[in-house]
Amino acid sequence: MKSCCESKSGELAELRASQGKVLKILLALNASMFIVEFTAAWSLGSTALLGDSLDMFGDASVYALTLYVLHRSVRERALSALVKGIVMLALGLIVLGEAGYQALHGVAPAAHGMGAFALLALAVNLVCFGLLWRFKSDDLNMRSTWLCSRNDIIANASVFGAAILVGWTGSRWPDVLLGAAIAALFLQSAWQVIRDARAELREARQAGNSQTPDDQAPDDQDASSTSSCCTPPTAAVVLEQSHASSCCSSKRCG
């Protein structure tokens, strides 16, 4: 049984190391793309492209947060996911406000440049999505990160479509309407992440409250290891163990 738990611990450590390498790549890609796309959005006067660039900034921020809590407790990872949701919520409100302003005072953006940078952002996010695919069910943080990447691809493709419509009609409305749609997508995803994070925080709190009191704790280390290996996991840590060894679930204590 001891070897079972050691194997599980080793596999989790290996999983976290793999996640960390991917997240560092994603952080570098998104931070670089934010600078490029933000500059282009202001230069071209595109609301949709600006929203997409702010999304890149948000992604870079949440990748940094995810790296920070990667090897920390379930509660800390849930708190990180909650912060991600709040960041996504703020970005959605910013883009929604900009879309409203452009609806009243804006002009049609430069369609060719808008489309070119949308394609560049789409290529970057397709790479990110591919890197995240194998980790999308690991835990709440990696799932929320994967959701961000999925939303990015939808947004990038939509920005390119809006650029075609702007060039065809000469109107700012495709750009403005897409900006509002991106904002709605951010707000929906933010609510989903915040809701899941709050649920996991409740599970972690309940798990902490239901732990064995100190005066009833096993005296010997082997008993403690056996208990932690064979006790059915709470809902808060099921995702944590999704890539761990299955030997503990297929054997009985003793």
Side-chain angles (χ1 to χ4, degrees):
M1 188 58 64
K2 183 178 179 181
S3 63
C4 166
C5 296
E6 288 176 349
S7 174
K8 180 177 71 174
S9 177
E11 289 183 17
L12 285 173
E14 183 178 351
L15 174 64
R16 294 302 178 207
S18 298
Q19 289 177 347
K21 291 177 183 177
V22 169
L23 288 170
K24 288 175 184 177
I25 295 172
L26 298 179
L27 175 59
L29 286 173
N30 280 268
S32 301
M33 194 61 210
F34 161 68
I35 296 172
V36 172
E37 199 172 11
F38 183 84
T39 303
W42 280 112
S43 175
L44 298 170
S46 171
T47 304
L49 204 60
L50 179 63
D52 207 41
S53 72
L54 290 177
D55 180 39
M56 290 287 186
F57 174 78
D59 288 347
S61 299
V62 298
Y63 292 151
L65 281 170
T66 302
L67 279 167
Y68 174 72
V69 300
L70 194 60
H71 299 281
R72 298 176 185 270
S73 69
V74 172
R75 181 177 182 276
E76 288 175 301
R77 287 197 294 279
L79 285 172
S80 174
L82 183 62
V83 172
K84 292 179 188 181
I86 293 171
V87 170
M88 292 167 68
L89 180 65
L91 288 173
L93 293 174
I94 289 172
V95 176
L96 189 62
E98 177 64 15
Y101 176 83
Q102 290 295 333
L104 297 174
H105 307 290
V107 296
H112 289 87
M114 179 182 170
F117 283 100
L119 284 178
L120 176 61
L122 177 60
V124 170
N125 280 315
L126 283 172
V127 172
C128 294
F129 186 80
L131 290 172
L132 283 167
W133 180 263
R134 60 175 291 210
F135 302 109
K136 67 186 179 72
S137 300
D138 286 353
D139 56 32
L140 180 58
N141 275 285
M142 296 305 291
R143 175 167 174 76
S144 63
T145 302
W146 178 77
L147 283 172
C148 287
S149 182
R150 182 201 65 182
N151 291 346
D152 293 344
I153 291 173
I154 297 171
N156 297 151
S158 300
V159 172
F160 181 71
I164 294 175
L165 290 175
V166 167
W168 181 40
T169 64
S171 169
R172 70 179 182 273
W173 286 107
D175 182 61
V176 171
L177 292 175
L178 178 60
I182 291 175
L185 182 63
F186 284 172
L187 294 174
Q188 180 184 17
S189 296
W191 173 248
Q192 180 179 351
V193 171
I194 290 171
R195 182 191 60 193
D196 291 346
R198 291 179 64 187
E200 187 158 319
L201 281 171
R202 285 194 298 269
E203 293 286 349
R205 191 179 301 114
Q206 291 171 3
N209 292 337
S210 63
Q211 284 179 349
T212 303
D214 291 339
D215 57 347
Q216 299 177 12
D219 289 332
D220 87 59
Q221 186 175 1
D222 288 342
S224 176
S225 298
T226 301
S227 175
S228 65
C229 184
C230 296
T231 300
T234 65
V237 298
V238 168
L239 291 175
E240 170 72 16
Q241 298 176 349
S242 61
H243 282 261
S245 171
S246 61
C247 64
C248 292
S249 62
S250 61
K251 296 182 179 179
R252 295 292 183 269
C253 291

